[in-house]
Amino acid sequence: MEKSDCDGRVEVVGYWISAFVHRVRWALKLKGVDYKYTEEDIFNDVRTPSFNKTPLLSHLNPLHGKVPVLIHNGNPLPESAVILEYIDDVWSHDPLLPQDPILRARARFWAKFIDQKVINSTALALHSEGEDQERAVKLAVEYLERIEEELQLQGKVFFGGEKIGYVDLMMGFVAYILPVFQEVASVDILDPSRFPAIAAWTVNFLEHPVIKAEYLPPRDEIFSFYSRRRQEALPLCGSQTPLGKKIWSFLLS
């Protein structure tokens, strides 16, 4: 493991299935930084017999009360995208972001696009039905086509070139959660024949030694979790509900 004066005490507060948490854990592993992991059961999940919902997140992340939270030398930092940049700044070896300012800005653009457009549209496809779901699938496909074009344009193994970088970590959910979304919701978003570059990227990402070595939830547990979440969310995410109107307005902006 890489050691430096910056290491101090590093802790990640997370939740077992959160793609946002896995980004942070992958980044620390890629940097060779030892850390303590604390599971915070943000949903009172029936997956485990004893719940771990505590006041911890209200203290560490009072604005949102969400995971992940990185704690470094006693200082808490929320929001996975912000945490990844902090990790890259503090442990500057093996950089996740490009050194060139233009390429760094492009990486931030694609990371924001993935978080705001790709994740939200695919989540909406999971949590809706009928015409709403059809619209969400159409949007998700359109957004992924932009990602496909960028990967093909680069012609590299990863967004970060020959190594996993910042955008790859932000995109990680596509490799292991999106296929389960499709199965749970009976939709077809990521057709390998339509997205050959993303399909190749997925294989390369999941076969990377650090990603393979880091914990990923078993597929059957992901399926069970999102099957429950879909049933809970269906009454809330229709396009005419207050939440649905807000999500659609955001996606189409």
Side-chain angles (χ1 to χ4, degrees):
M1 286 288 183
E2 178 77 20
K3 297 294 179 183
S4 75
D5 293 338
C6 299
D7 280 350
R9 178 177 174 82
V10 182
E11 181 176 355
V12 176
V13 179
Y15 183 58
W16 66 280
I17 202 168
S18 171
F20 304 101
V21 172
H22 286 296
R23 294 170 175 174
V24 174
R25 300 183 72 174
W26 289 330
L28 291 170
K29 288 290 187 179
L30 286 166
K31 295 283 190 175
V33 177
D34 287 323
Y35 67 93
K36 175 187 175 184
Y37 177 72
T38 299
E39 179 84 357
E40 180 70 9
D41 189 349
I42 58 176
F43 291 117
N44 279 353
D45 186 8
V46 296
R47 174 177 175 266
T48 52
S50 59
F51 297 149
N52 188 30
K53 182 69 170 179
T54 73
L56 178 63
L57 282 177
S58 297
H59 171 67
L60 295 176
N61 185 4
L63 185 61
H64 298 299
K66 296 178 180 179
V67 293
V69 176
L70 177 77
I71 308 171
H72 184 212
N73 289 325
N75 299 306
L77 183 66
E79 302 295 332
S80 62
V82 174
I83 294 171
L84 292 189
E85 293 209 36
Y86 177 82
I87 290 171
D88 213 27
D89 287 340
V90 173
W91 295 277
S92 56
H93 60 278
D94 299 324
L96 300 173
L97 278 159
Q99 301 304 294
D100 180 270
I102 291 295
L103 296 180
R104 287 172 70 89
R106 285 184 63 84
R108 291 188 176 109
F109 166 82
W110 285 112
K112 186 176 181 180
F113 181 82
I114 289 164
D115 254 5
Q116 294 188 349
K117 301 300 185 181
V118 177
I119 289 182
N120 281 314
S121 60
T122 54
L124 190 56
L126 171 71
H127 295 134
S128 60
E129 56 188 351
E131 292 183 2
D132 288 340
Q133 187 181 64
E134 291 175 9
R135 291 174 64 204
V137 168
K138 184 175 183 292
L139 270 181
V141 169
E142 289 175 2
Y143 293 145
L144 284 168
E145 284 174 345
R146 300 284 301 278
I147 301 290
E148 176 74 14
E149 291 169 3
E150 178 67 11
L151 268 175
Q152 291 188 9
L153 181 65
Q154 290 191 23
K156 296 179 180 178
V157 177
F158 299 110
F159 285 98
E162 300 305 311
K163 299 191 302 182
I164 288 179
Y166 178 69
V167 179
D168 300 289
L169 297 179
M170 297 292 286
M171 182 79 169
F173 85 101
V174 169
Y176 74 102
I177 285 185
L178 182 52
V180 184
F181 275 18
Q182 295 182 126
E183 187 177 351
V184 170
S186 300
V187 295
D188 185 11
I189 297 172
L190 194 58
D191 181 349
S193 64
R194 187 170 188 171
F195 299 102
I198 296 178
W201 171 87
T202 296
V203 173
N204 292 326
F205 185 82
L206 292 176
E207 288 299 313
H208 188 282
V210 167
I211 306 302
K212 288 184 72 172
E214 184 63 15
Y215 169 78
L216 277 179
R219 184 184 179 91
D220 61 337
E221 294 187 5
I222 300 175
F223 184 91
S224 295
F225 176 86
Y226 281 111
S227 294
R228 294 194 302 271
R229 296 291 293 171
R230 171 174 164 79
Q231 294 307 312
E232 293 166 358
L234 281 176
L236 305 175
C237 293
S239 58
Q240 300 308 308
T241 66
L243 177 60
K245 289 179 180 179
K246 183 177 179 181
I247 295 172
W248 279 109
S249 175
F250 179 79
L251 281 175
L252 297 173
S253 63

